[in-house]
Amino acid sequence: MQQVLLDIVSTINSYLSNYMLIILLVAVGLYYTIRTRFVQVRCFGEGMKKVFGNFSLKGGKQKSGLSSFQALATAIAAQVGTGNIVGACGAILIGGPGAIFWMWIIAFFGMATIYSEAVLAQKTKVVHEDGSVSGGPVYYIKSVFKGGFGKFLAGFFAVAAVLALGFMGSMVQSNSIGESMNTAFGIPTWVVGIAVALISGLIFVGGIQRIGAVTEKIVPVMAILYIVGGLVILGVNYDHILETFGMIFKYAFNANAIIGGGIGAAIYAAISQGAKRGLFSNEAGMGSTPHAHALANVKDPHDQGVVAMIGVFIDTFVVLTFTALIVISTLFTGGGPLDPATFAEGTFLEGAAELAGLGKTNLAQVAFGTVFGEQLGNIFVAICLFFFAFSTIISWNLFGKINFEHLFGKKAVIIYSIVSIAFIFTGAILKNDLVWELTDMFNYLMVLPNVIALFALGGVVSKVAKKHIGKNKKALAEPEKE
């Protein structure tokens, strides 16, 4: 039954990704890059200063919403998940090392996209009578599309978000935690599923304030842990670093040399894998992280917009790139099991990986194991993956909850919480491929209404960006016209 469902969902995904994902994500990224006059370049330094200028692991309890850093940490917690380890490895195995180059391209334009999402989330957020704050795509969708069409698009997004983030997405994260813990420690996946579900439930009960307090502490720690471990691997393999970067650029345009097939089909495989896993990793254009950025207590929407850009940068250009460099430098060079120079005639990447017993779920563990040893490598990746995936579960559950509440009201949230915890447990014991395909499908469906609204609201974002880019003091002093 799982195999039948897997085949159906895979077919749907192939059409969605091939004809929608790449075109829409690149188009909206280009659109906002032009309309904001390369905000990701002009305001990159400003964003870094806002994030790290007053860095603290204790933002304090907010009267409502979150501090700017807590909102960013919650967004990064959603972005830095299994996509940075398992997703990146899957992209490399299917699209070759060149897929990472296309992830970088998607992320560069995605920084402009996520700037627009954060700005719009701030401008359209709603403060309720009890002081609580709600915001996200459903609010800016309805702000630009009035009447029945706006309600339909917002409702479509909300349903897709609940399924993609609150339910299916959490399954992917717990699935990866379960498999890695089983590999590293031999713990049965059902035991891991129960433990993750219980801990998640305790955090969910605390609401937005507890989620913000947890993510602002766990995100910096988990990122530093992974980067330090990665630096050790890269330090040992320093003589292969240049070759690794060379392979990323070479196979971005010559993918058929490593994955086989025709030149056009091979390059397309590299691009599509980079785009799909890039979306799952940094989530720019998907409409998930605006829920966190809407909660930030900032004076101006632009301030959270530039902070949001740094989230994509950290996710893709730092954490995901570390994964890629570690995997490629250890396994694709120096006679490693996936070194193209060692392939037998007629053998390509997929066949070599199969012969070596390598897949997306164990590729990073094997790579770390080349330096740390098999057991320690498995343990290190399992611990990192636990923090990555668990923090994503926390954030995605919040985003799904916001949309569920929009659909059914606050009184129904308890039902959502119970069902989402059940999905967390179920994900740990399901077949991996099916879980990923289901998550991909609902992620793709979220993109459609979100991107439609982003194109329609280009003028609003452009006005905000123009006020700040170039330090237009006169414009900053004038009140905005809606």
Side-chain angles (χ1 to χ4, degrees), residues 233-234 237 240-241 244 247 323-334:
I233 304 297
L234 296 179
N237 291 281
H240 294 299
I241 299 299
T244 296
M247 293 180 77
T323 299
L325 295 179
I326 290 164
V327 167
I328 297 171
S329 67
T330 57
L331 304 180
F332 284 74
T333 65

Side-chain angles (χ1 to χ4, degrees), residues 343-377:
F343 290 179
E345 186 176 352
T347 300
F348 292 98
L349 181 57
E350 184 178 1
E354 186 175 348
L355 287 172
L358 297 173
K360 63 186 178 185
T361 56
N362 71 341
L363 196 66
Q365 290 173 315
V366 173
F368 274 92
T370 60
V371 174
F372 291 164
E374 182 179 355
Q375 184 175 4
L376 184 56

Side-chain angles (χ1 to χ4, degrees), residues 396-442:
W396 278 3
N397 181 270
L398 171 62
F399 304 160
K401 176 183 175 182
I402 291 171
N403 286 280
F404 194 88
E405 184 177 316
H406 173 78
L407 291 169
F408 304 108
K410 287 189 176 182
K411 292 182 179 179
V413 168
I414 184 65
I415 298 174
Y416 165 81
S417 298
I418 294 172
V419 174
S420 63
I421 290 173
F423 269 86
I424 291 171
F425 168 73
T426 305
I429 59 177
L430 272 183
K431 184 177 178 181
N432 182 272
D433 289 339
L434 176 59
V435 176
W436 274 88
E437 290 293 338
L438 285 169
T439 303
D440 281 344
M441 183 177 71
F442 289 111

Side-chain angles (χ1 to χ4, degrees), residues 242-318:
L242 288 178
E243 182 183 357
T244 296
F245 276 104
M247 293 180 77
I248 291 173
F249 287 101
K250 173 184 176 181
Y251 293 122
F253 303 96
N254 189 30
N256 62 307
I258 193 169
I259 66 175
I263 296 177
I267 292 177
Y268 182 78
I271 295 174
S272 64
Q273 284 300 309
K276 285 190 285 189
R277 294 307 164 200
L279 167 65
F280 189 82
S281 177
N282 65 56
E283 302 182 27
M286 196 169 82
S288 55
T289 56
H291 298 98
H293 294 300
L295 302 175
N297 294 318
V298 291
K299 293 181 179 179
D300 192 286
H302 170 82
D303 294 338
Q304 196 61 25
V306 296
V307 166
M309 295 192 312
I310 304 306
V312 172
F313 178 82
I314 292 172
D315 170 84
T316 303
F317 291 101
V318 179

Side-chain angles (χ1 to χ4, degrees), residues 22-85:
I22 297 174
I23 295 173
L24 284 182
L25 289 179
V26 173
V28 76
L30 278 168
Y31 176 71
Y32 275 106
T33 295
I34 294 170
R35 294 222 60 169
T36 62
R37 293 186 293 173
F38 284 84
V39 66
Q40 66 268 57
V41 176
R42 289 172 174 262
C43 295
F44 180 78
E46 180 186 352
M48 293 292 283
K49 288 179 182 178
K50 288 186 183 297
V51 172
F52 297 106
N54 297 303
F55 178 77
S56 172
L57 294 180
K58 191 175 182 180
K61 187 174 182 180
Q62 306 292 306
K63 291 182 180 179
S64 64
L66 304 171
S67 70
S68 179
F69 181 74
Q70 286 176 333
L72 175 65
T74 303
I76 293 178
Q79 294 166 315
V80 178
T82 56
N84 295 80
I85 299 180

Side-chain angles (χ1 to χ4, degrees), residues 192-213:
V192 176
I194 291 175
V196 173
L198 287 176
I199 298 172
S200 299
L202 290 174
I203 295 175
F204 298 161
V205 170
I208 291 173
Q209 295 295 331
R210 184 175 296 176
I211 290 171

